[in-house]
Amino acid sequence: MKVDVLLGLQWGDEGKGKVVDVLTPRYDVVARFQGGPNAGHTLEFEGQKYVLRSIPSGIFQGNKVNIIGNGVVLDPSLFKAEAEALEASGHPLKERLHISKKAHLILPTHRILDAAYEAAKGAAKVGTTGKGIGPTYTDKVSRTGLRVGDILCHFEEKYAAAKARHEQILKSLNYEYDITELEKQWLEGIEYLRTFHLVDSEHEINNLLKDGKSVLCEGAQGTMLDVDFGSYPFVTSSNTICAGACTGLGLGPNKIGEVYGIMKAYCTRVGAGPFPTELFDETGKTIRALGHEYGAVTGRERRCGWVDLVALRYSIMVNGVTQLILMKSDVLDAFDTIKACVAYKVNGEEIDYFPYDITEGVEPIYVEMPGWKTDMTKMTSEDEFPEEFNAYISFLEEQLGTPVKIVSVGPDREQTIERYTEK
Ligand code: GDP
Ligand code: IMO
Ligand code: MG
């Protein structure tokens, strides 16, 4: 019996997809527990690049069971496009992908409502991915949502009722839209979804655990986007933290073992909202260019800045992180100096904890360290790490009170180095 959880500690896009793929051979099951097609998880191996949105990143390594859990919101038309592309590229998934009947469906009108609400907010908009995430989770909590299991029974009536309700809201907002094409593709997606294993995934996953199988839970987004603990209201609409794996899959908290926290060696954010260590200068632009920091889903420029240890300590705390995975260290290979934010100055006072509100008046206090000025992308062992990089890792471990067990030095599956291994 073993459930480990892997999740992002910053504002998403930390490299979760890559590491889930790397770790998959050690597990029997990989499961997504929250979020939906707002996620874009990139994997690279054998010269190929894949971006996954709703399908777990355990789909490529061996014949593992991959589960889309009840906490996920699923758009049938986007799911169909994603699954068909994978099948066409020689990665069959029909037999190994199991979808919870309790996962909620993103309707075409949820996507339109997402756009309408953003337009109504004007300058205060969240900068969502436009995939209908907020409206779908709103319906779930309001007890008016449609679930995957609903497609098996009186579906047409249920869909018509939900659509009519959404149309009323859109009318009240005076929002103009054309649903025809979106709905056509969505209904085709519903028929496609019927051809998959639609399961009671909470039973399945607990039975697998009883049989001695191990599970890796794949988080989406990041802790700073969590609906409770993130930079509210500039967050997503689900619990991205470790506890989300319990509610999003039907797992008791006593089943959780390791909690892998993923962080970049710097920090990025896409969409609106506060970002204390954001860089607006040439350094920020250089990080964006070297790290190819553009959204995997929307193509939007990601905002870039130095690593924020105040926010990371908070993320580690609310998730119970047991080990860190340090991503994209190679992006800083050419820098003369590296900075890390160790505390904030708020109203003239220095604090080392993450405050209630980071919207304004938060000034980062930095520690500056020498860069390593070495190309690390071809390194295969920690023995090759330059002295300055080792010093940077030790500094992070000390500041964060958590060991860095994996270091990623490039996007490829192979560019992954484990630390603390038996020599
Ligand atoms: P996710 O949403 O957390 O899975 O992350 P994304 O896929 O949205 O963004 C991470 C990006 O960084 C992708 O383009 C990855 O291919 C890339 N990447 C992952 N790890 C590394 C790394 O160690 N170095 C570099 N240079 N790129 C990486
Ligand atoms: P992965 O899993 C980065 C951001 C959006 C927006 C906010 C709310 O690839 O790390 P939503 O569409 O969820 O209502 O948007 O959250 N956001 C992400 N940012 N990576 C993601 O996923 C994200 N998913 C949502 O940009 O600011
Ligand atoms: Mg991403």
Side-chain angles (χ1 to χ4, degrees):
M1 180 199 86
K2 182 176 182 265
V3 180
D4 295 340
V5 182
L6 180 147
L7 37 79
L9 299 181
Q10 296 161 320
W11 275 282
D13 302 327
E14 296 90 348
K16 299 173 291 290
K18 166 181 166 163
V19 182
V20 168
D21 172 64
V22 167
L23 296 178
T24 294
R26 302 176 196 179
Y27 295 87
D28 301 297
V29 181
V30 176
R32 276 277 305 266
F33 56 90
Q34 47 70 230
N38 48 349
H41 294 180
T42 316
L43 293 79
E44 285 189 37
F45 55 91
E46 293 159 12
Q48 298 292 319
K49 178 171 166 172
Y50 301 89
V51 179
L52 298 176
R53 300 167 76 170
S54 300
I55 294 170
S57 303
I59 212 76
F60 297 107
Q61 297 252 45
N63 199 13
K64 306 297 168 94
V65 176
N66 279 252
I67 295 177
I68 296 180
N70 57 279
V72 172
V73 288
L74 193 69
D75 182 324
S77 54
L78 294 179
F79 170 72
K80 178 171 181 273
E82 184 179 338
E84 284 183 340
L86 279 179
E87 297 252 1
S89 64
H91 298 284
L93 39 95
K94 276 255 160 80
E95 286 314 311
R96 26 183 141 132
L97 185 63
H98 299 181
I99 303 171
S100 169
K101 286 192 274 187
K102 293 193 171 78
H104 276 247
L105 288 171
I106 302 175
L107 272 49
T109 37
H110 282 135
R111 266 163 89 170
I112 298 168
L113 280 168
D114 195 353
Y117 289 142
E118 283 283 88
K121 281 185 178 157
K125 71 177 182 184
V126 175
T128 72
T129 58
K131 298 293 176 285
I133 305 297
T136 307
Y137 278 116
T138 302
D139 274 356
K140 172 177 175 172
V141 177
S142 308
R143 299 160 292 186
T144 49
L146 248 62
R147 302 189 289 181
V148 168
D150 286 321
I151 72 174
L152 305 173
C153 182
H154 300 299
F155 172 65
E156 282 75 14
E157 291 155 46
K158 291 175 190 166
Y159 172 58
K163 182 180 161 189
R165 203 166 39 75
H166 292 162
E167 282 172 336
Q168 279 298 325
I169 303 172
L170 288 162
K171 200 170 159 198
S172 72
L173 291 169
N174 286 323
Y175 193 76
E176 305 252 335
Y177 61 96
D178 181 0
I179 198 175
T180 324
E181 187 54 33
L182 214 53
E183 188 177 50
K184 180 174 162 282
Q185 288 175 8
W186 190 82
L187 290 170
E188 286 167 9
I190 292 287
E191 292 313 309
Y192 183 70
L193 201 53
R194 290 185 201 279
T195 66
F196 277 78
H197 291 291
L198 309 181
V199 300
D200 295 308
S201 62
E202 66 278 28
H203 286 300
E204 181 179 14
I205 207 161
N206 282 290
N207 285 335
L208 284 162
L209 286 171
K210 249 188 229 154
D211 290 345
K213 306 287 187 209
S214 58
V215 180
L216 177 62
C217 304
E218 173 180 2
Q221 291 79 55
T223 304
M224 288 293 125
L225 290 169
D226 181 90
V227 68
D228 280 280
F229 299 106
S231 48
Y232 193 89
F234 298 97
V235 293
T236 191
S237 299
S238 65
N239 278 119
T240 62
I241 59 165
C242 186
C246 296
T247 56
L249 289 165
L251 289 167
N254 57 340
K255 302 281 196 307
I256 308 289
E258 293 294 320
V259 181
Y260 303 104
I262 303 219
M263 56 178 279
K264 285 178 183 169
Y266 49 95
C267 192
T268 63
R269 167 161 213 176
V270 60
F275 179 3
T277 61
E278 182 167 13
L279 292 166
F280 300 95
D281 58 4
E282 282 307 311
T283 307
K285 285 186 194 148
T286 308
I287 294 177
R288 183 178 307 121
L290 294 174
H292 305 289
E293 294 296 355
Y294 295 90
V297 171
T298 56
R300 288 181 292 179
E301 266 189 6
R302 292 180 185 149
R303 300 153 64 192
C304 297
W306 292 119
V307 76
D308 182 344
L309 301 177
V310 181
L312 280 166
R313 278 185 221 119
Y314 183 73
S315 294
I316 289 167
M317 176 183 83
V318 298
N319 285 301
V321 170
T322 59
Q323 50 179 292
L324 293 168
I325 302 181
L326 182 63
M327 309 301 292
K328 304 192 87 158
S329 329
D330 55 295
V331 173
L332 303 181
D333 278 355
F335 283 64
D336 291 326
T337 53
I338 312 288
K339 285 191 192 178
C341 165
V342 290
Y344 293 158
K345 196 176 249 183
V346 182
N347 297 327
E349 192 197 334
E350 190 173 317
I351 58 168
D352 62 1
Y353 61 88
F354 195 71
Y356 170 73
D357 190 2
I358 57 162
T359 317
E360 50 191 35
V362 176
E363 189 192 321
I365 297 173
Y366 290 111
V367 163
E368 196 165 324
M369 285 155 284
W372 40 93
K373 307 278 280 176
T374 310
D375 178 0
M376 296 203 295
T377 54
K378 293 187 183 61
M379 292 184 181
T380 54
S381 146
E382 62 169 319
D383 299 337
E384 297 171 71
F385 286 161
E387 195 185 312
E388 294 83 355
F389 183 61
N390 277 327
Y392 180 57
I393 298 182
S394 300
F395 169 78
L396 291 177
E397 290 186 321
E398 193 227 317
Q399 284 280 326
L400 301 173
T402 315
V404 174
K405 294 246 180 123
I406 296 177
V407 174
S408 174
V409 292
D412 195 272
R413 191 189 266 172
E414 303 295 327
Q415 292 170 298
T416 313
I417 297 173
E418 296 216 35
R419 300 178 73 237
Y420 297 103
T421 48
E422 298 281 321
K423 295 242 166 73

